[in-house]
Amino acid sequence: MNSAPRPVVLSGIQPSGHLTLGNYLGAIKNWLPLYREYDCYYMLVDLHAITVRQDPAALRERCYEFLALYIACGLDPSNNVLFVQSHVGGHARLAWVLNCYTQMGELSRMTQFKDKSQKNADNINAGLFDYPVLMAADILLYDSAQVPVGDDQKQHLELTRDVAIRFNNLYGTPERPVFRVPEPMIPPVGARIMGLQDPTAKMSKSDDAVTNALYLLDPPDIITRKIKRAVTDMDNTVRYAPAEKPGVSNLLSILSATGGESIAALEARFAGQGYGAFKSAVAEAVVECLKPVQARYHEIREDRDELRRILRDGAVRAAVRADATLRRVHDVLGFIPE
Ligand code: TRP
């Protein structure tokens, strides 16, 4: 039987900072079942990372760390293509082509560029400006149908769609478009984990204040301490009301996502109890949730040969699809076939 090709899901993460509970509950965990319906590609975007200065040794170790954590969170390399962006030459090559179909004005409007150039005023390099074009190349190279991204990346995905449509109008036909136009994949509600100290903003892996985030590799005592110190309010009732009680609501989301009980059930369970008992329960649930992840991580983290083998295999599988797209693009542009 000839089965139809499966749609592609692709996402990328910058190997910077440290993976947080928010990355796990808000992203990685939702990706785990996707391989049953989609061809899934998850990459470490090292080419994007160098748009700000990196320490080479730290960058390399972080890539291994993130890969081992992805696997420890349950992303099985035999069902998901896990790879490093710089290992597949097509990303940089397609980015160059797309550069010639993206306007300076479009890139100047990107809010992330404006933010990052303010934060790195001494190094506003062309790569930082061009970052969204490389991201468009990442996505279009794999004919991605769905792209799981956070809110902060929606504008880049919108640009990717614009560039794809523009290119298709120039070189494709409605029946044979050159690029597949991707859709954002929005995480389920409640999966958005906020900071512990500032519960009005997303928990970030690159936050300067380390007490604001729960890192996947934090030991149990650190997790407990951070949760005990998490910002709440003066009202002392465990109730879900994100606008009014962002801190408590975030802790409820975390407890619900890690312990599996609904928010309503948790509100009932903690009715009449203060925040002390509630926070202890949150800490315990997070520690229990991370225990198997950390155990698996430590089993595989030092097996450098195995991690390298997984990345080599991932790059080979990724390149098959990437090369086919690049050939198609070069062909419509009039480049002589290699
Ligand atoms: N820019 C994304 C971020 O900072 C990472 C990324 C790079 C990405 N390439 C991608 C995400 C392709 C989705 C698809 O979070």
Side-chain angles (χ1 to χ4, degrees):
M1 206 176 74
N2 208 350
S3 59
R6 301 183 336 146
V8 169
V9 162
L10 170 132
S11 197
I13 191 156
Q14 283 216 48
S16 59
H18 294 284
L19 288 174
T20 70
L21 188 70
N23 294 122
Y24 176 52
L25 299 176
I28 304 171
K29 205 172 155 203
N30 302 320
W31 301 349
L32 301 184
L34 295 178
Y35 77 91
R36 299 200 198 107
E37 278 176 65
Y38 299 91
D39 283 349
C40 296
Y41 294 80
Y42 301 110
M43 66 181 163
L44 298 162
V45 295
D46 52 355
L47 298 175
H48 277 110
I50 61 164
T51 55
V52 297
R53 286 282 172 271
Q54 299 288 338
D55 174 68
L59 177 64
R60 187 175 299 125
E61 286 315 309
R62 226 178 291 113
C63 283
Y64 284 121
E65 177 186 305
F66 277 36
L67 173 67
L69 270 172
Y70 269 28
I71 298 167
C73 287
L75 272 187
D76 180 346
S78 48
N79 296 327
N80 299 275
V81 181
L82 307 181
F83 69 107
V84 175
Q85 189 185 30
S86 66
H87 289 183
V88 180
H91 294 258
R93 296 176 73 186
L94 183 59
W96 177 259
V97 171
L98 298 180
N99 272 330
C100 304
Y101 296 85
T102 309
Q103 301 302 307
M104 302 280 286
E106 291 180 293
L107 294 177
S108 312
R109 282 197 290 278
M110 294 291 120
T111 53
Q112 184 175 290
F113 171 68
K114 292 189 229 169
D115 286 353
K116 285 200 179 180
S117 36
Q118 245 169 30
K119 282 192 200 139
N120 302 281
D122 56 343
N123 183 22
I124 306 178
N125 60 73
L128 199 61
F129 188 64
D130 203 31
Y131 181 112
V133 179
L134 179 59
M135 180 162 160
D138 296 341
I139 293 168
L140 300 179
L141 209 44
Y142 295 89
D143 303 313
S144 310
Q146 301 279 336
V147 183
V149 283
D151 281 342
D152 61 324
Q153 296 298 314
K154 286 221 185 98
Q155 197 184 28
H156 291 164
L157 194 63
E158 213 33 64
L159 178 77
T160 302
R161 291 170 53 86
D162 291 346
V163 173
I165 292 167
R166 181 176 307 152
F167 201 91
N168 285 344
N169 286 340
L170 286 166
Y171 300 107
T173 61
E175 302 74 44
R176 302 194 85 222
V178 183
F179 293 125
R180 169 151 192 158
V181 181
E183 302 286 339
M185 190 178 234
I186 311 294
V189 277
R192 204 172 135 90
I193 304 299
M194 314 302 272
L196 298 179
Q197 293 301 322
D198 177 8
T200 62
K202 207 170 91 170
M203 184 180 281
S204 160
K205 69 183 169 49
S206 312
D207 211 316
D208 292 334
V210 293
T211 51
N212 196 40
L214 294 166
Y215 299 113
L216 295 183
L217 293 175
D218 275 347
D221 57 320
I222 302 284
I223 289 173
T224 305
R225 197 174 331 144
K226 286 181 179 176
I227 291 173
K228 293 265 155 152
R229 291 187 188 165
V231 165
T232 52
D233 51 53
M234 303 297 281
D235 146 71
N236 223 27
T237 47
V238 178
R239 184 165 57 86
Y240 188 80
E244 233 177 289
K245 295 163 67 65
V248 171
S249 302
N250 187 40
L251 292 174
L252 272 167
S253 298
I254 292 174
L255 182 52
S256 172
T258 50
E261 246 179 287
S262 73
I263 302 259
L266 291 170
E267 284 176 334
R269 170 140 79 94
F270 289 98
Q273 298 192 46
Y275 291 155
F278 172 56
K279 282 181 163 179
S280 301
V282 177
E284 200 177 309
V286 172
V287 167
E288 283 309 306
C289 165
L290 292 183
K291 207 181 262 175
V293 173
Q294 295 185 353
R296 178 92 183 96
Y297 171 81
H298 290 297
E299 269 167 38
I300 55 185
R301 176 66 176 88
E302 294 316 315
D303 193 348
R304 196 62 76 102
D305 291 343
E306 176 62 6
L307 295 177
R308 294 278 309 274
R309 193 196 60 72
I310 289 166
L311 291 179
R312 266 198 305 274
D313 178 60
V316 168
R317 289 157 74 195
V320 172
R321 206 181 266 273
D323 289 348
T325 306
L326 202 61
R327 271 198 298 276
R328 198 165 73 226
V329 170
H330 283 187
D331 181 57
V332 300
L333 289 172
F335 295 175
I336 292 175
E338 288 176 45

